Amino acid sequence: MASRPFAGVLVPVLTPFNRVGDPDAGRFVAFCRRLLDQGADGLAIFGTTSEANSLAAGERMELLDRLVAAGIPPAKLMPGTGACSITESAALARHAVAHGVGGVLMLPPFYYKGMDDDGLFAFFAAVIERVASPALKIFLYHIPPQTVLGLSVDLVGRLIRDYPDTVVGLKDSSGDWNNTAALLDRYPGFAVFPGSEVFLLDGLRKGAAGCITATGNVNVSGIRKVCENWQMPEADALQAQITLVRKTIQAYPMVPALKRIVAHFRNDPEWAAVRPPMVPLPQAQSQALLGDLATIGFALGEPRRAAAE
Amino acid sequence: MASRPFAGVLVPVLTPFNRVGDPDAGRFVAFCRRLLDQGADGLAIFGTTSEANSLAAGERMELLDRLVAAGIPPAKLMPGTGACSITESAALARHAVAHGVGGVLMLPPFYYKGMDDDGLFAFFAAVIERVASPALKIFLYHIPPQTVLGLSVDLVGRLIRDYPDTVVGLKDSSGDWNNTAALLDRYPGFAVFPGSEVFLLDGLRKGAAGCITATGNVNVSGIRKVCENWQMPEADALQAQITLVRKTIQAYPMVPALKRIVAHFRNDPEWAAVRPPMVPLPQAQSQALLGDLATIGFALGEPRRAAAE
């Protein structure tokens, strides 16, 4: 089993868009820097929350180039390199590895449904062999609500067995604690990250590496407190706080809601823009969301240390 | 309502792969030429059956370049240009339009689930506006078994209304005759193609433009007979024959089965290769399939006219 390049709170960073609907690298760099300043342990850029699947491969590569050029430490980055084709997935992974990223988050090919484990195994194996680099560290991305095609616990085991230095972790966005628990039981040392902080404390108590969670975009400091204090008496109370924030936000469509929150607290209305097929949160819902957050006393965290921006 | 660039039997052409798993342009060109010689009215290259979603955008573009360079008439081509991002979908469509294709087959963005009609409309609108060409003729691709996200009858109507010269048809691979019938009833003149020849005769009697069907890869001549004779007394008997062939083949995984049939009748074992996440048909199933086809008296059609190969 390989070493753990990541642990703690990882944020699948929102991708800002400009007025004409293209990714806004300037806002993106500034936001990534702020998340690190707030205490994020890693940035899982180009995940589901990042609308990465609404970006072409070239757009993802350019944003990564810009981040690294701006001085964001590549070791803190876990870019999503998933794509439906071996060729595109390998190209994205190769580009990321060349930048020295800490790891990549890799979806299964998600167009064809009902593919069996042999086919999925062959897909990951082909990507690994095309990238052909010991620096490649893959975190599998299990997110059946979007892919409608999961990575079975057995398939994960086959990949770990055949590629122990490459397949080093998994983000479990199934929302199914039993699946997360089964992975933790079966593969000790394998870096499992629940895809929601709702499972963070239970996960840490069972050996999870941390969590990779959408709401990290607006609540790094709260989630971090659970990571730092999970063995302390106050752990359950801290967990209850972050669960409350999560549940308040996820009553709304997650990505438009998070972008609306960022737009509000940064006083930057353009931040609310999403790319189709997503739609922005309507005004009435935006007001309701901000009201709900005020009711629970939520305010966007300040940087843990002085921002380098 | 726009004119109809396509009618009759369209084939979502299988994509052959070589020994190292890359698309084999030589075999592809030869196979496309043969399908036209056998009487295919159009080639819906880069569809689901083509494993197009296992190809990177650049691979699709290169194969199209090769087809056109080899003299396949672009007006006969309806390449699939669907992708999850506006940017990639527009890039593929722009490339296809520059080649003078008859039309493009366009998936909705298929990663994010539960997107509403407003978001899907905005996606198609953005692609159309980015391509910005009166030569763009879009056939919408409704295939909920893979996308798990359909194009509602109302959404299709909105797109026709706002882009009457661009959104000219639809492939309905829902497998739901009621949906096909509703589209034909609501939008007369709109070119609806059932995604299976099982619905061909019923479709033609109700105004469908033809069909776009996987099994066209091996049964153009049989399917064509239904198109040519649908108003004749023998129409139902001809339909029964092609339905029997279809049902025999679709008892197996469709794409690996079709490739196995082509490999067998062309005496070219490499043709059976698929790209992961698909897996080739196992030997025992291959034998069973070929046996089933022999039982119903099926043989791969000969060219209607002398092959130009």
Side-chain angles (χ1 to χ4, degrees), chain A residues 149-208:
Chain A
L149 180 111
L151 301 172
S152 72
V153 174
D154 284 344
L155 172 60
V156 172
R158 284 175 64 184
L159 288 164
I160 294 171
R161 190 192 60 209
D162 282 21
Y163 301 101
D165 297 324
T166 304
V167 177
V168 299
L170 179 143
K171 176 182 180 190
D172 186 355
S173 295
S174 66
D176 174 5
W177 168 251
N178 291 331
N179 189 70
T180 308
L183 289 165
L184 290 166
D185 284 337
R186 290 268 298 269
Y187 311 119
F190 185 62
V192 175
F193 292 86
S196 164
E197 72 273 33
V198 167
F199 303 112
L200 179 56
L201 185 55
D202 287 341
L204 291 170
R205 286 172 173 161
K206 225 179 143 55

Short mmCIF file of all heavy atoms in Angstrom, two decimals, chain A residues 149-208:
data_model
loop_
_atom_site.label_atom_id
_atom_site.label_comp_id
_atom_site.label_asym_id
_atom_site.label_seq_id
_atom_site.Cartn_x
_atom_site.Cartn_y
_atom_site.Cartn_z
N LEU A 149 -23.10 4.32 -12.34
CA LEU A 149 -22.20 3.22 -12.64
C LEU A 149 -21.13 3.32 -11.56
O LEU A 149 -20.37 4.29 -11.52
CB LEU A 149 -21.59 3.48 -14.02
CG LEU A 149 -20.59 2.47 -14.56
CD1 LEU A 149 -21.21 1.74 -15.75
CD2 LEU A 149 -19.36 3.19 -15.06
N GLY A 150 -21.14 2.37 -10.67
CA GLY A 150 -20.27 2.50 -9.51
C GLY A 150 -19.00 1.70 -9.63
O GLY A 150 -18.80 0.94 -10.57
N LEU A 151 -18.12 1.92 -8.67
CA LEU A 151 -16.89 1.13 -8.55
C LEU A 151 -17.13 0.19 -7.38
O LEU A 151 -17.13 0.61 -6.22
CB LEU A 151 -15.71 2.06 -8.27
CG LEU A 151 -15.50 3.13 -9.34
CD1 LEU A 151 -14.45 4.13 -8.90
CD2 LEU A 151 -15.10 2.48 -10.65
N SER A 152 -17.34 -1.06 -7.67
CA SER A 152 -17.66 -2.01 -6.61
C SER A 152 -16.46 -2.16 -5.66
O SER A 152 -15.31 -1.90 -6.03
CB SER A 152 -18.02 -3.37 -7.20
OG SER A 152 -16.86 -3.99 -7.72
N VAL A 153 -16.75 -2.58 -4.45
CA VAL A 153 -15.68 -2.80 -3.47
C VAL A 153 -14.68 -3.82 -4.02
O VAL A 153 -13.46 -3.67 -3.85
CB VAL A 153 -16.29 -3.23 -2.11
CG1 VAL A 153 -15.19 -3.61 -1.12
CG2 VAL A 153 -17.15 -2.10 -1.54
N ASP A 154 -15.17 -4.82 -4.71
CA ASP A 154 -14.26 -5.81 -5.30
C ASP A 154 -13.38 -5.21 -6.39
O ASP A 154 -12.18 -5.52 -6.46
CB ASP A 154 -15.07 -6.97 -5.91
CG ASP A 154 -15.60 -7.91 -4.83
OD1 ASP A 154 -15.11 -7.85 -3.68
OD2 ASP A 154 -16.52 -8.70 -5.15
N LEU A 155 -13.96 -4.39 -7.24
CA LEU A 155 -13.17 -3.76 -8.31
C LEU A 155 -12.06 -2.90 -7.71
O LEU A 155 -10.91 -2.92 -8.17
CB LEU A 155 -14.07 -2.91 -9.21
CG LEU A 155 -13.35 -2.04 -10.24
CD1 LEU A 155 -12.51 -2.89 -11.19
CD2 LEU A 155 -14.35 -1.20 -11.03
N VAL A 156 -12.40 -2.14 -6.66
CA VAL A 156 -11.39 -1.33 -5.99
C VAL A 156 -10.25 -2.21 -5.51
O VAL A 156 -9.06 -1.89 -5.69
CB VAL A 156 -12.03 -0.53 -4.82
CG1 VAL A 156 -10.96 0.18 -3.99
CG2 VAL A 156 -13.05 0.47 -5.36
N GLY A 157 -10.59 -3.36 -4.95
CA GLY A 157 -9.57 -4.30 -4.47
C GLY A 157 -8.67 -4.80 -5.59
O GLY A 157 -7.45 -4.93 -5.42
N ARG A 158 -9.26 -5.11 -6.73
CA ARG A 158 -8.46 -5.57 -7.87
C ARG A 158 -7.48 -4.50 -8.31
O ARG A 158 -6.31 -4.78 -8.64
CB ARG A 158 -9.36 -5.91 -9.06
CG ARG A 158 -10.10 -7.21 -8.92
CD ARG A 158 -11.07 -7.44 -10.09
NE ARG A 158 -10.39 -7.57 -11.38
CZ ARG A 158 -11.02 -7.70 -12.55
NH1 ARG A 158 -12.34 -7.69 -12.58
NH2 ARG A 158 -10.34 -7.83 -13.67
N LEU A 159 -7.95 -3.25 -8.34
CA LEU A 159 -7.07 -2.15 -8.78
C LEU A 159 -5.94 -1.92 -7.78
O LEU A 159 -4.79 -1.70 -8.17
CB LEU A 159 -7.89 -0.88 -9.00
CG LEU A 159 -8.79 -0.92 -10.24
CD1 LEU A 159 -9.85 0.18 -10.19
CD2 LEU A 159 -7.94 -0.78 -11.51
N ILE A 160 -6.27 -1.97 -6.48
CA ILE A 160 -5.22 -1.81 -5.46
C ILE A 160 -4.19 -2.93 -5.58
O ILE A 160 -2.98 -2.70 -5.51
CB ILE A 160 -5.84 -1.83 -4.03
CG1 ILE A 160 -6.75 -0.62 -3.81
CG2 ILE A 160 -4.74 -1.88 -2.97
CD1 ILE A 160 -7.57 -0.70 -2.51
N ARG A 161 -4.68 -4.13 -5.79
CA ARG A 161 -3.77 -5.29 -5.86
C ARG A 161 -2.83 -5.18 -7.05
O ARG A 161 -1.61 -5.41 -6.94
CB ARG A 161 -4.60 -6.57 -5.97
CG ARG A 161 -3.80 -7.84 -5.81
CD ARG A 161 -4.64 -9.05 -6.23
NE ARG A 161 -5.04 -8.91 -7.62
CZ ARG A 161 -6.16 -9.42 -8.15
NH1 ARG A 161 -7.00 -10.09 -7.40
NH2 ARG A 161 -6.45 -9.25 -9.43
N ASP A 162 -3.37 -4.80 -8.22
CA ASP A 162 -2.53 -4.77 -9.42
C ASP A 162 -1.72 -3.49 -9.55
O ASP A 162 -0.71 -3.49 -10.26
CB ASP A 162 -3.40 -4.97 -10.67
CG ASP A 162 -3.77 -6.44 -10.87
OD1 ASP A 162 -3.71 -7.20 -9.88
OD2 ASP A 162 -4.10 -6.83 -12.00
N TYR A 163 -2.18 -2.42 -8.92
CA TYR A 163 -1.46 -1.14 -9.03
C TYR A 163 -1.30 -0.51 -7.65
O TYR A 163 -1.79 0.60 -7.40
CB TYR A 163 -2.22 -0.19 -9.99
CG TYR A 163 -2.37 -0.76 -11.37
CD1 TYR A 163 -3.57 -1.33 -11.79
CD2 TYR A 163 -1.31 -0.75 -12.26
CE1 TYR A 163 -3.70 -1.88 -13.07
CE2 TYR A 163 -1.42 -1.29 -13.54
CZ TYR A 163 -2.63 -1.85 -13.93
OH TYR A 163 -2.75 -2.39 -15.19
N PRO A 164 -0.60 -1.19 -6.75
CA PRO A 164 -0.56 -0.72 -5.35
C PRO A 164 0.13 0.63 -5.17
O PRO A 164 -0.17 1.35 -4.23
CB PRO A 164 0.20 -1.84 -4.62
CG PRO A 164 0.98 -2.53 -5.69
CD PRO A 164 0.16 -2.44 -6.93
N ASP A 165 1.05 0.97 -6.07
CA ASP A 165 1.75 2.25 -5.92
C ASP A 165 1.04 3.38 -6.66
O ASP A 165 1.48 4.52 -6.60
CB ASP A 165 3.19 2.12 -6.43
CG ASP A 165 3.97 1.12 -5.61
OD1 ASP A 165 3.74 1.07 -4.37
OD2 ASP A 165 4.78 0.38 -6.19
N THR A 166 0.00 3.05 -7.39
CA THR A 166 -0.69 4.05 -8.20
C THR A 166 -2.10 4.33 -7.70
O THR A 166 -2.51 5.48 -7.57
CB THR A 166 -0.74 3.57 -9.67
OG1 THR A 166 0.58 3.31 -10.12
CG2 THR A 166 -1.39 4.61 -10.57
N VAL A 167 -2.85 3.27 -7.42
CA VAL A 167 -4.24 3.44 -6.97
C VAL A 167 -4.20 3.53 -5.45
O VAL A 167 -4.15 2.51 -4.76
CB VAL A 167 -5.12 2.28 -7.48
CG1 VAL A 167 -6.54 2.44 -6.95
CG2 VAL A 167 -5.11 2.25 -9.01
N VAL A 168 -4.20 4.76 -4.96
CA VAL A 168 -3.88 4.98 -3.54
C VAL A 168 -5.05 5.46 -2.70
O VAL A 168 -4.94 5.56 -1.48
CB VAL A 168 -2.70 5.96 -3.38
CG1 VAL A 168 -1.44 5.40 -4.05
CG2 VAL A 168 -3.05 7.34 -3.97
N GLY A 169 -6.17 5.79 -3.34
CA GLY A 169 -7.28 6.29 -2.54
C GLY A 169 -8.56 6.36 -3.32
O GLY A 169 -8.61 5.98 -4.51
N LEU A 170 -9.60 6.83 -2.66
CA LEU A 170 -10.92 6.88 -3.28
C LEU A 170 -11.77 7.95 -2.61
O LEU A 170 -11.72 8.12 -1.38
CB LEU A 170 -11.61 5.51 -3.13
CG LEU A 170 -13.01 5.34 -3.69
CD1 LEU A 170 -13.17 3.94 -4.30
CD2 LEU A 170 -14.09 5.58 -2.65
N LYS A 171 -12.49 8.68 -3.44
CA LYS A 171 -13.52 9.58 -2.90
C LYS A 171 -14.85 8.87 -3.03
O LYS A 171 -15.25 8.47 -4.14
CB LYS A 171 -13.56 10.90 -3.69
CG LYS A 171 -14.69 11.81 -3.19
CD LYS A 171 -14.82 13.11 -3.96
CE LYS A 171 -15.97 13.93 -3.38
NZ LYS A 171 -16.32 15.10 -4.19
N ASP A 172 -15.53 8.70 -1.92
CA ASP A 172 -16.81 7.99 -1.93
C ASP A 172 -17.95 8.98 -1.83
O ASP A 172 -18.31 9.44 -0.75
CB ASP A 172 -16.86 6.99 -0.77
CG ASP A 172 -18.11 6.12 -0.84
OD1 ASP A 172 -18.96 6.37 -1.73
OD2 ASP A 172 -18.23 5.19 -0.03
N SER A 173 -18.53 9.30 -3.00
CA SER A 173 -19.67 10.20 -3.03
C SER A 173 -20.97 9.43 -3.25
O SER A 173 -21.92 9.96 -3.81
CB SER A 173 -19.49 11.24 -4.15
OG SER A 173 -18.41 12.09 -3.87
N SER A 174 -20.96 8.19 -2.80
CA SER A 174 -22.19 7.41 -2.93
C SER A 174 -23.27 7.91 -1.97
O SER A 174 -24.45 7.69 -2.20
CB SER A 174 -21.91 5.93 -2.65
OG SER A 174 -21.53 5.75 -1.29
N GLY A 175 -22.83 8.56 -0.90
CA GLY A 175 -23.78 8.94 0.14
C GLY A 175 -24.21 7.72 0.97
O GLY A 175 -25.13 7.80 1.77
N ASP A 176 -23.51 6.61 0.76
CA ASP A 176 -23.88 5.35 1.42
C ASP A 176 -22.78 4.99 2.42
O ASP A 176 -21.71 4.50 2.05
CB ASP A 176 -24.03 4.27 0.34
CG ASP A 176 -24.27 2.88 0.92
OD1 ASP A 176 -24.41 2.75 2.16
OD2 ASP A 176 -24.31 1.92 0.13
N TRP A 177 -23.05 5.26 3.68
CA TRP A 177 -22.04 5.01 4.71
C TRP A 177 -21.59 3.55 4.73
O TRP A 177 -20.42 3.25 4.98
CB TRP A 177 -22.57 5.43 6.10
CG TRP A 177 -21.68 4.94 7.20
CD1 TRP A 177 -21.96 3.96 8.10
CD2 TRP A 177 -20.33 5.36 7.47
NE1 TRP A 177 -20.89 3.75 8.93
CE2 TRP A 177 -19.87 4.60 8.56
CE3 TRP A 177 -19.48 6.31 6.90
CZ2 TRP A 177 -18.60 4.75 9.11
CZ3 TRP A 177 -18.21 6.46 7.44
CH2 TRP A 177 -17.78 5.69 8.52
N ASN A 178 -22.49 2.64 4.44
CA ASN A 178 -22.12 1.22 4.45
C ASN A 178 -21.03 0.93 3.42
O ASN A 178 -20.16 0.09 3.64
CB ASN A 178 -23.34 0.33 4.17
CG ASN A 178 -24.32 0.37 5.33
OD1 ASN A 178 -23.92 0.56 6.48
ND2 ASN A 178 -25.59 0.20 5.02
N ASN A 179 -21.09 1.62 2.30
CA ASN A 179 -20.05 1.42 1.27
C ASN A 179 -18.71 1.96 1.77
O ASN A 179 -17.67 1.32 1.64
CB ASN A 179 -20.46 2.09 -0.03
CG ASN A 179 -19.53 1.72 -1.18
OD1 ASN A 179 -19.55 0.58 -1.64
ND2 ASN A 179 -18.70 2.67 -1.60
N THR A 180 -18.76 3.16 2.36
CA THR A 180 -17.53 3.75 2.90
C THR A 180 -16.93 2.84 3.97
O THR A 180 -15.71 2.58 3.98
CB THR A 180 -17.83 5.14 3.50
OG1 THR A 180 -18.54 5.92 2.53
CG2 THR A 180 -16.56 5.86 3.90
N ALA A 181 -17.78 2.35 4.84
CA ALA A 181 -17.31 1.48 5.93
C ALA A 181 -16.71 0.19 5.36
O ALA A 181 -15.68 -0.28 5.85
CB ALA A 181 -18.47 1.18 6.88
N ALA A 182 -17.33 -0.34 4.33
CA ALA A 182 -16.81 -1.59 3.74
C ALA A 182 -15.42 -1.36 3.15
O ALA A 182 -14.52 -2.20 3.29
CB ALA A 182 -17.78 -2.09 2.66
N LEU A 183 -15.23 -0.22 2.49
CA LEU A 183 -13.91 0.09 1.92
C LEU A 183 -12.87 0.23 3.03
O LEU A 183 -11.74 -0.26 2.91
CB LEU A 183 -13.98 1.38 1.10
CG LEU A 183 -14.75 1.29 -0.22
CD1 LEU A 183 -15.07 2.68 -0.76
CD2 LEU A 183 -13.95 0.49 -1.26
N LEU A 184 -13.25 0.91 4.11
CA LEU A 184 -12.31 1.10 5.22
C LEU A 184 -11.97 -0.23 5.88
O LEU A 184 -10.82 -0.47 6.26
CB LEU A 184 -12.89 2.09 6.24
CG LEU A 184 -12.97 3.54 5.76
CD1 LEU A 184 -13.85 4.37 6.68
CD2 LEU A 184 -11.57 4.15 5.66
N ASP A 185 -12.97 -1.09 6.00
CA ASP A 185 -12.72 -2.42 6.60
C ASP A 185 -11.83 -3.27 5.71
O ASP A 185 -10.90 -3.93 6.20
CB ASP A 185 -14.05 -3.16 6.81
CG ASP A 185 -14.83 -2.63 8.01
OD1 ASP A 185 -14.20 -2.03 8.91
OD2 ASP A 185 -16.06 -2.79 8.04
N ARG A 186 -12.12 -3.27 4.42
CA ARG A 186 -11.44 -4.19 3.53
C ARG A 186 -10.02 -3.75 3.17
O ARG A 186 -9.15 -4.58 2.93
CB ARG A 186 -12.24 -4.34 2.22
CG ARG A 186 -13.56 -5.08 2.35
CD ARG A 186 -13.42 -6.58 2.08
NE ARG A 186 -12.99 -6.91 0.74
CZ ARG A 186 -13.80 -7.13 -0.29
NH1 ARG A 186 -15.12 -7.05 -0.13
NH2 ARG A 186 -13.31 -7.46 -1.47
N TYR A 187 -9.80 -2.43 3.08
CA TYR A 187 -8.52 -1.96 2.55
C TYR A 187 -7.84 -0.99 3.52
O TYR A 187 -7.74 0.21 3.24
CB TYR A 187 -8.71 -1.33 1.16
CG TYR A 187 -9.53 -2.22 0.25
CD1 TYR A 187 -10.74 -1.81 -0.28
CD2 TYR A 187 -9.09 -3.52 -0.04
CE1 TYR A 187 -11.50 -2.65 -1.09
CE2 TYR A 187 -9.85 -4.37 -0.85
CZ TYR A 187 -11.05 -3.93 -1.37
OH TYR A 187 -11.80 -4.77 -2.15
N PRO A 188 -7.36 -1.48 4.66
CA PRO A 188 -6.70 -0.59 5.62
C PRO A 188 -5.47 0.06 4.97
O PRO A 188 -4.75 -0.60 4.23
CB PRO A 188 -6.30 -1.52 6.78
CG PRO A 188 -6.51 -2.91 6.28
CD PRO A 188 -7.41 -2.88 5.10
N GLY A 189 -5.29 1.35 5.21
CA GLY A 189 -4.15 2.05 4.62
C GLY A 189 -4.51 2.72 3.32
O GLY A 189 -3.80 3.62 2.87
N PHE A 190 -5.57 2.29 2.70
CA PHE A 190 -6.04 2.92 1.46
C PHE A 190 -6.76 4.21 1.87
O PHE A 190 -7.53 4.23 2.84
CB PHE A 190 -7.01 1.95 0.78
CG PHE A 190 -7.52 2.35 -0.57
CD1 PHE A 190 -6.66 2.53 -1.64
CD2 PHE A 190 -8.89 2.54 -0.78
CE1 PHE A 190 -7.14 2.88 -2.90
CE2 PHE A 190 -9.37 2.89 -2.02
CZ PHE A 190 -8.50 3.06 -3.08
N ALA A 191 -6.48 5.31 1.16
CA ALA A 191 -6.97 6.62 1.61
C ALA A 191 -8.41 6.86 1.15
O ALA A 191 -8.65 7.29 0.03
CB ALA A 191 -6.05 7.72 1.08
N VAL A 192 -9.35 6.60 2.04
CA VAL A 192 -10.76 6.78 1.70
C VAL A 192 -11.24 8.14 2.21
O VAL A 192 -11.06 8.47 3.39
CB VAL A 192 -11.61 5.64 2.29
CG1 VAL A 192 -13.10 5.89 2.03
CG2 VAL A 192 -11.18 4.29 1.72
N PHE A 193 -11.84 8.89 1.31
CA PHE A 193 -12.42 10.20 1.65
C PHE A 193 -13.92 10.16 1.40
O PHE A 193 -14.33 10.08 0.24
CB PHE A 193 -11.83 11.30 0.75
CG PHE A 193 -10.39 11.61 0.97
CD1 PHE A 193 -9.41 10.87 0.32
CD2 PHE A 193 -10.01 12.65 1.81
CE1 PHE A 193 -8.06 11.17 0.50
CE2 PHE A 193 -8.65 12.94 2.00
CZ PHE A 193 -7.68 12.21 1.35
N PRO A 194 -14.75 10.23 2.45
CA PRO A 194 -16.17 10.41 2.17
C PRO A 194 -16.36 11.70 1.37
O PRO A 194 -15.60 12.66 1.53
CB PRO A 194 -16.81 10.52 3.55
CG PRO A 194 -15.81 9.93 4.50
CD PRO A 194 -14.47 10.18 3.88
N GLY A 195 -17.38 11.70 0.52
CA GLY A 195 -17.65 12.85 -0.33
C GLY A 195 -18.55 13.88 0.33
O GLY A 195 -19.03 14.80 -0.33
N SER A 196 -18.79 13.70 1.61
CA SER A 196 -19.58 14.69 2.36
C SER A 196 -19.08 14.70 3.78
O SER A 196 -18.81 13.65 4.37
CB SER A 196 -21.07 14.33 2.35
OG SER A 196 -21.74 15.07 3.36
N GLU A 197 -19.01 15.91 4.36
CA GLU A 197 -18.54 16.03 5.74
C GLU A 197 -19.55 15.46 6.73
O GLU A 197 -19.22 15.30 7.92
CB GLU A 197 -18.22 17.49 6.08
CG GLU A 197 -19.41 18.42 6.23
CD GLU A 197 -19.83 19.01 4.89
OE1 GLU A 197 -19.68 18.32 3.86
OE2 GLU A 197 -20.31 20.16 4.88
N VAL A 198 -20.74 15.14 6.28
CA VAL A 198 -21.71 14.51 7.17
C VAL A 198 -21.13 13.21 7.73
O VAL A 198 -21.41 12.82 8.86
CB VAL A 198 -23.03 14.25 6.39
CG1 VAL A 198 -23.95 13.31 7.16
CG2 VAL A 198 -23.73 15.58 6.09
N PHE A 199 -20.28 12.55 6.94
CA PHE A 199 -19.68 11.28 7.38
C PHE A 199 -18.26 11.46 7.91
O PHE A 199 -17.53 10.49 8.08
CB PHE A 199 -19.64 10.29 6.20
CG PHE A 199 -21.00 10.04 5.60
CD1 PHE A 199 -21.31 10.48 4.33
CD2 PHE A 199 -21.96 9.35 6.33
CE1 PHE A 199 -22.57 10.23 3.78
CE2 PHE A 199 -23.23 9.10 5.80
CZ PHE A 199 -23.53 9.55 4.52
N LEU A 200 -17.84 12.71 8.16
CA LEU A 200 -16.44 12.94 8.49
C LEU A 200 -16.03 12.29 9.82
O LEU A 200 -15.05 11.53 9.87
CB LEU A 200 -16.15 14.46 8.50
CG LEU A 200 -14.72 14.85 8.86
CD1 LEU A 200 -13.71 14.17 7.94
CD2 LEU A 200 -14.55 16.37 8.81
N LEU A 201 -16.76 12.59 10.88
CA LEU A 201 -16.34 12.07 12.19
C LEU A 201 -16.42 10.54 12.23
O LEU A 201 -15.47 9.87 12.68
CB LEU A 201 -17.18 12.70 13.30
CG LEU A 201 -16.77 12.35 14.73
CD1 LEU A 201 -15.30 12.67 15.00
CD2 LEU A 201 -17.67 13.08 15.74
N ASP A 202 -17.52 10.01 11.73
CA ASP A 202 -17.63 8.54 11.66
C ASP A 202 -16.49 7.97 10.83
O ASP A 202 -15.92 6.92 11.17
CB ASP A 202 -18.97 8.13 11.03
CG ASP A 202 -20.15 8.37 11.97
OD1 ASP A 202 -19.92 8.49 13.19
OD2 ASP A 202 -21.29 8.42 11.47
N GLY A 203 -16.15 8.66 9.76
CA GLY A 203 -15.07 8.19 8.90
C GLY A 203 -13.72 8.21 9.61
O GLY A 203 -12.98 7.23 9.59
N LEU A 204 -13.41 9.33 10.25
CA LEU A 204 -12.11 9.46 10.93
C LEU A 204 -11.97 8.39 12.01
O LEU A 204 -10.89 7.81 12.19
CB LEU A 204 -11.96 10.86 11.53
CG LEU A 204 -11.82 12.00 10.51
CD1 LEU A 204 -11.94 13.36 11.20
CD2 LEU A 204 -10.51 11.89 9.74
N ARG A 205 -13.06 8.11 12.71
CA ARG A 205 -13.01 7.10 13.78
C ARG A 205 -12.76 5.70 13.22
O ARG A 205 -12.38 4.80 13.95
CB ARG A 205 -14.33 7.12 14.56
CG ARG A 205 -14.42 8.33 15.48
CD ARG A 205 -15.80 8.46 16.13
NE ARG A 205 -15.77 9.55 17.11
CZ ARG A 205 -16.87 10.16 17.59
NH1 ARG A 205 -18.07 9.80 17.16
NH2 ARG A 205 -16.75 11.12 18.48
N LYS A 206 -13.02 5.57 11.93
CA LYS A 206 -12.86 4.25 11.31
C LYS A 206 -11.64 4.22 10.39
O LYS A 206 -11.42 3.24 9.68
CB LYS A 206 -14.13 3.94 10.50
CG LYS A 206 -14.66 2.53 10.70
CD LYS A 206 -15.91 2.29 9.91
CE LYS A 206 -15.96 0.88 9.36
NZ LYS A 206 -15.80 -0.17 10.36
N GLY A 207 -10.85 5.30 10.38
CA GLY A 207 -9.63 5.28 9.59
C GLY A 207 -9.67 6.04 8.27
O GLY A 207 -8.73 5.94 7.46
N ALA A 208 -10.74 6.81 8.03
CA ALA A 208 -10.79 7.60 6.80
C ALA A 208 -9.67 8.65 6.81
O ALA A 208 -9.19 9.06 7.87
CB ALA A 208 -12.15 8.29 6.65
#
